[in-house]
Amino acid sequence: MNQVGTTEVVDGIGILTIDYPPVNALSVHTRIALDEGFRQFAADDSVKAIVLICAGRTFIAGADISEFGKAMGGPNLQEVFDIIEGGTKPVVAAIHGTALGGGYELALICHYRIAVPSAKVGLPEVALGLLPGAGGTQRLPRIVGIPAALDLITGGAPVPAKKALELGMIDALAEEGKLREDAIAFAQKLVAEGGPLLRVRDRQDKVEPYRGKPEIYTEYLKKNARAFRGFKAPFNIVKAIEAAAELPFEQGIERERDLFGELMTSTESAAQRYYFFAEREGAKVPDLPKDTAALPVQSVGVIGAGTMGGGITMNFLNAGIPVTLVEREQAALDRGVGVIRRNYENTAAKGRMTAEQVEQRMTLLTPALELDALKDVDLVIEAVFEDMGIKKDVFGKLDKIAKPGAILASNTSFLDLDEIASVTSRPENVVGLHFFSPANVMRLLEIVRGAKTSDAVLATALKVARTISKVPVVSRVGPGFIANRVMSPRSRQAMELVLEGPTPQDIDQAIYGYGFAMGPFAMGDLVGLDVIGRGSNERTLNGDLVKLGRLGQKQGGGFYDYDDKRVASPSPVAAQVIADYATFKGVENKGPQSAEAIVARLLYPVINEGAKVLEKGVAIRASDIDVACILGYNWPVYTGGPMFWADTVGLPKVVEGLRAMGIEPAKLLVEKAASGGSFTRG
Ligand code: T1G
């Protein structure tokens, strides 16, 4: 046995333990261990049944994604699965942690599945732009039926053990902490009962009722058209599940293999597999010593009970960390606390929370009117108005109130953190925690590392991100940090381009077609043109529309006209305002442009800004920029984000396109284009 697998026999039960940290992925070492272990037990007459169990944090969590695209050594998954499924002795999968993807497919190959209540099982391959390629699309429908399989596999969410038991995804629950004993007992009971060995692949009762009904799949795709738009995997998943109902098992497996192969070689899957690791890279800071200890954060203070302050507060309440929420006026404080309570009550109304969980969270919240209330907290997060004077005033006062060692964080989305830190006696304890609205929902957290932010405070910020289930990217100080800065050229270019001929709907349709949920003009009308243009004294296109009472969807239309159901239509009035403004700016109408040209005009400058953020050292790596744009601005994940997409387009083409627009490409971009380099291809 290689060191990944250990075998033992206890009262006639063969126990194969897999131990391949961190998540027992189905690497070549794991496959060899499985192959050797099951062959050994098959040949051992003293073994009457087999338990497959894992050491460490989880049962097998899937194929080893880092192996994809490389030569796969050792026995392949199918060979290993055939040994297990072709055996004559009952096999019990003993599950803890998360049995996902190939891990759960392996559990489906076993004859039975037992799990502890804290375990989860699922087939999340869709998040990698793939489908379960080791029989999951053929076996799971045979257990849960076609409709449930469609949701489970196109959704990809892990299913908690209790629910999995109800669905039939597992056969029994073990007692928490007693998985090994209960799995052995379960296996011994099987031996004592004898009876036929029922393989999942042989079951028909759950797929029979759906045979010969192609409308199930067309209806399903129609119902989910919006969610599946632009992705490839969901469509292939539905085809594979249809095969489970329509074809004999072996042919269904062949169909699954073909559909899997199409996805594995697609750009979409390459982008989504890249993104899987990119999300995890963001927490790695090369020059932060690995053994840097994080400071304790057992209590938090939030200053500002507005939209951001309230959302930020909820993150910590959700993690069971008490929060003192400070606001200057009672009315604003009451409003802020009321919004938090209402948010939780709405979640409870949807059945995603219980009433007592609402109360638990609310008891962790202490409203206060004085900054003094923050004198004992470990971390203070300032979320006041985005004005340097106000922030400096707050930090100056905080510095005198907060206890020694307390971390002072700003939620600023733009301002110079070092300048804020300069008014305190503890700049090493000042850090930026830039949340995105709504802060309790958006997973992105930009951690802004000031010039003097200490390693311990940075390590603490990274740990806080994990504690409140955020995805961190670390930014140095710079205007707009990463996401806001890199994405700002998109709207700027749109406002310029709309003067040159393409209409708002041409531009919005092109950007929608690329994969964004909404184009910049529809977004402007939604947010409110008076909000977007606020603070600008010079004449702007938005301002011209606002002067006509065209504030957007909320009042009088904006770039579009809206009916009483807020359905948009092209606006002759807006067209005239645009033409007048173009004349005022001396911009010539050059007529319409192709969708491809519009996408390049709006998004190549985003790539260029990303290159600048990299060369200035504001972002650590290109993939952090992709994570920031995907999570912060809903950049379509199946393109990999601006920097991955730049490599897909080809950097020389991006450079040429920028120059054609009269935009000077960033030095780093030109260098990489000239040297055949890439941002994200290793
Ligand atoms: N392959 C390789 N490395 C993996 C991995 C995997 N499947 N899953 C996690 N890691 C690494 C991860 O990069 C990180 O590394 C460390 O493990 C801890 O991960 C044939 C084709 C299991 C729920 O999609 O969802 O099976 O950063 O930080 O928060 O049909 O990892 O420490 O160096 O996420 O506790 C299907 C993906 C694969 C599961 C644990 N399986 N993983 O979460 O830790 S495709 C998945 C997860 C497949 C078959 C198909 C999560 C987790 P490092 P982590 P975590």
Side-chain angles (χ1 to χ4, degrees):
M1 289 295 289
N2 65 6
Q3 74 281 14
V4 167
T6 50
T7 52
E8 54 187 307
V9 182
V10 171
D11 304 334
I13 305 300
I15 300 160
L16 171 57
T17 303
I18 297 295
D19 186 7
Y20 184 67
V23 294
N24 291 312
L26 280 167
S27 64
V28 55
H29 312 291
T30 311
R31 295 195 300 274
I32 290 170
L34 289 164
D35 181 273
E36 291 177 352
F38 277 95
R39 286 179 190 281
Q40 177 188 325
F41 287 148
D44 181 343
D45 292 341
S46 71
V47 169
K48 307 300 178 200
I50 299 161
V51 167
L52 170 62
I53 195 166
C54 291
R57 66 163 92 169
T58 176
F59 188 78
I60 292 163
D64 186 335
I65 308 171
S66 59
E67 273 187 356
F68 288 163
K70 297 172 191 160
M72 294 257 211
N76 68 39
L77 220 39
Q78 197 51 55
E79 289 163 343
V80 173
F81 282 15
D82 289 345
I83 293 169
I84 300 170
E85 194 172 49
T88 56
K89 301 174 182 177
V91 178
V92 178
I95 298 169
H96 73 296
T98 48
L100 300 174
Y104 181 60
E105 289 175 293
L106 172 52
L108 288 175
I109 293 280
C110 300
H111 303 91
Y112 296 93
R113 290 147 292 283
I114 182 170
V116 289
S118 58
K120 293 182 179 175
V121 296
L123 296 173
E125 287 86 341
V126 66
L128 301 171
L130 295 171
L131 57 75
T137 67
Q138 306 305 303
R139 288 189 178 84
L140 186 61
R142 284 174 165 77
I143 281 188
V144 301
I146 296 294
L150 285 167
D151 285 340
L152 288 167
I153 303 178
T154 60
V159 180
K162 193 160 166 291
K163 177 77 179 158
L165 183 66
E166 289 164 18
L167 290 169
M169 295 174 80
I170 62 172
D171 302 292
L173 280 176
E175 194 182 324
E176 203 69 56
K178 289 186 66 183
L179 178 59
R180 177 188 159 95
E181 302 89 316
D182 289 357
I184 291 171
F186 189 93
Q188 285 168 332
K189 188 159 167 283
L190 291 172
V191 173
E193 287 167 357
L197 258 192
L198 184 59
R199 302 179 306 175
V200 171
R201 58 180 285 165
D202 297 326
R203 298 189 199 181
Q204 291 302 327
D205 59 307
K206 290 285 190 180
V207 288
E208 195 79 61
Y210 302 98
R211 197 151 284 147
K213 295 181 177 170
E215 66 279 9
I216 294 172
Y217 313 98
T218 46
E219 281 310 305
Y220 192 76
L221 289 174
K222 204 164 128 209
K223 189 179 90 174
N224 292 284
R226 188 184 175 85
F228 295 171
R229 181 174 74 92
F231 290 93
K232 270 193 165 46
F235 299 91
N236 281 21
I237 287 170
V238 171
K239 288 176 189 165
I241 293 172
E242 181 173 13
E246 300 304 320
L247 299 177
F249 184 81
E250 283 306 336
Q251 288 176 41
I253 286 286
E254 281 305 312
R255 178 78 171 126
E256 176 190 88
R257 191 168 295 135
D258 294 345
L259 291 165
F260 178 85
E262 280 176 23
L263 295 176
M264 179 56 96
T265 52
S266 70
T267 306
E268 288 79 1
S269 180
Q272 290 178 255
R273 299 196 308 268
Y274 155 80
Y275 180 69
F276 172 84
F277 289 110
E279 266 204 2
R280 288 154 178 80
E281 280 305 293
K284 296 172 186 171
V285 181
D287 68 335
L288 177 66
K290 284 241 178 317
D291 57 356
T292 306
L295 305 172
V297 175
Q298 272 124 26
S299 56
V300 169
V302 174
I303 306 173
T307 308
M308 289 308 288
I312 292 168
T313 297
M314 290 178 71
N315 288 309
F316 291 93
L317 301 182
N318 296 343
I321 297 174
V323 177
T324 303
L325 178 59
V326 176
E327 184 51 76
R328 278 176 313 178
E329 285 140 35
Q330 189 65 51
L333 184 59
D334 294 347
R335 198 166 42 247
V337 173
V339 167
I340 292 171
R341 172 174 285 280
R342 255 195 321 284
N343 284 342
Y344 284 135
E345 285 170 350
N346 291 342
T347 305
K350 292 174 197 153
R352 293 209 302 264
M353 230 173 139
T354 62
E356 55 269 13
Q357 283 171 326
V358 172
E359 291 320 315
Q360 268 165 10
R361 282 170 173 70
M362 293 311 290
T363 50
L364 288 172
L365 175 57
T366 308
L369 289 170
E370 301 297 332
L371 283 179
D372 273 336
L374 304 179
K375 62 185 177 12
D376 299 323
V377 298
D378 298 323
L379 164 67
V380 183
I381 302 173
E382 164 272 313
V384 300
F385 190 65
E386 195 70 355
D387 171 277
M388 183 55 88
I390 297 175
K391 290 193 189 292
K392 279 179 158 179
D393 176 54
V394 166
F395 272 75
K397 287 176 183 153
L398 258 185
D399 190 36
K400 295 180 179 59
I401 293 167
K403 69 182 181 184
I407 296 173
L408 311 182
S410 171
N411 172 55
T412 181
S413 58
F414 196 91
L415 300 172
D416 183 335
L417 184 86
D418 293 333
E419 191 179 340
I420 294 172
S422 69
V423 302
T424 72
S425 61
R426 60 176 101 183
E428 68 284 354
N429 276 37
V430 175
V431 68
L433 293 178
H434 177 216
F435 291 82
F436 285 71
S437 187
N440 55 309
V441 173
M442 298 289 274
R443 295 174 59 224
L444 177 63
L445 178 64
E446 283 184 336
I447 295 176
V448 184
R449 184 183 189 181
K452 295 183 178 164
T453 303
S454 72
D455 286 351
V457 167
L458 178 59
T460 309
L462 288 163
K463 187 173 175 205
V464 163
R466 194 171 176 103
T467 305
I468 60 175
S469 308
K470 296 297 180 188
V471 176
V473 292
V474 175
S475 173
R476 280 295 185 179
V477 172
F481 308 125
I482 297 174
N484 290 345
R485 171 174 175 171
V486 166
M487 288 302 294
S488 58
R490 180 184 62 169
S491 42
R492 244 193 339 268
Q493 291 298 330
M495 296 307 275
E496 286 180 18
L497 182 58
V498 81
L499 304 181
E500 298 171 18
T503 63
Q505 53 273 29
D506 292 340
I507 295 169
D508 282 352
Q509 277 164 6
I511 288 297
Y512 179 81
Y514 176 81
F516 286 94
M518 191 181 272
F521 296 103
M523 179 63 80
D525 280 359
L526 179 67
V527 171
L529 301 181
D530 54 327
V531 173
I532 291 180
R534 187 180 289 158
S536 154
N537 299 323
E538 61 173 273
R539 180 180 169 184
T540 63
L541 176 53
N542 280 3
D544 283 6
L545 287 164
V546 169
K547 281 194 193 107
L548 291 177
R550 298 181 68 88
L551 307 187
Q553 278 194 28
K554 63 186 174 185
Q555 183 188 315
F559 285 99
Y560 297 93
D561 289 337
Y562 295 89
D563 66 16
D564 53 4
K565 292 192 180 63
R566 293 205 168 192
V567 174
S569 56
S571 165
V573 173
Q576 188 55 57
V577 171
I578 292 167
D580 295 345
Y581 187 75
T583 306
F584 162 70
K585 295 293 277 184
V587 175
E588 180 204 341
N589 186 320
K590 298 174 202 146
Q593 288 187 27
S594 69
E596 190 188 1
I598 292 172
V599 164
R601 174 67 181 273
L602 265 63
L603 301 185
Y604 282 11
V606 170
I607 295 167
N608 203 35
E609 200 59 34
K612 288 180 190 168
V613 155
L614 272 176
E615 65 188 21
K616 291 181 187 326
V618 172
I620 294 171
R621 54 182 77 83
S623 62
D624 286 359
I625 296 169
D626 287 334
V627 170
C629 294
I630 287 167
L631 291 184
Y633 279 80
N634 252 335
W635 188 291
V637 68
Y638 50 78
T639 69
M643 310 314 279
F644 187 91
W645 178 61
D647 291 330
T648 304
V649 169
L651 299 187
K653 186 175 176 187
V654 175
V655 169
E656 188 191 332
L658 286 166
R659 286 190 170 133
M661 296 171 202
I663 294 174
E664 184 51 37
K667 202 160 135 289
L668 180 63
L669 175 55
V670 173
E671 280 166 8
K672 284 185 176 292
S675 64
S678 81
F679 286 114
T680 63
R681 293 328 200 252

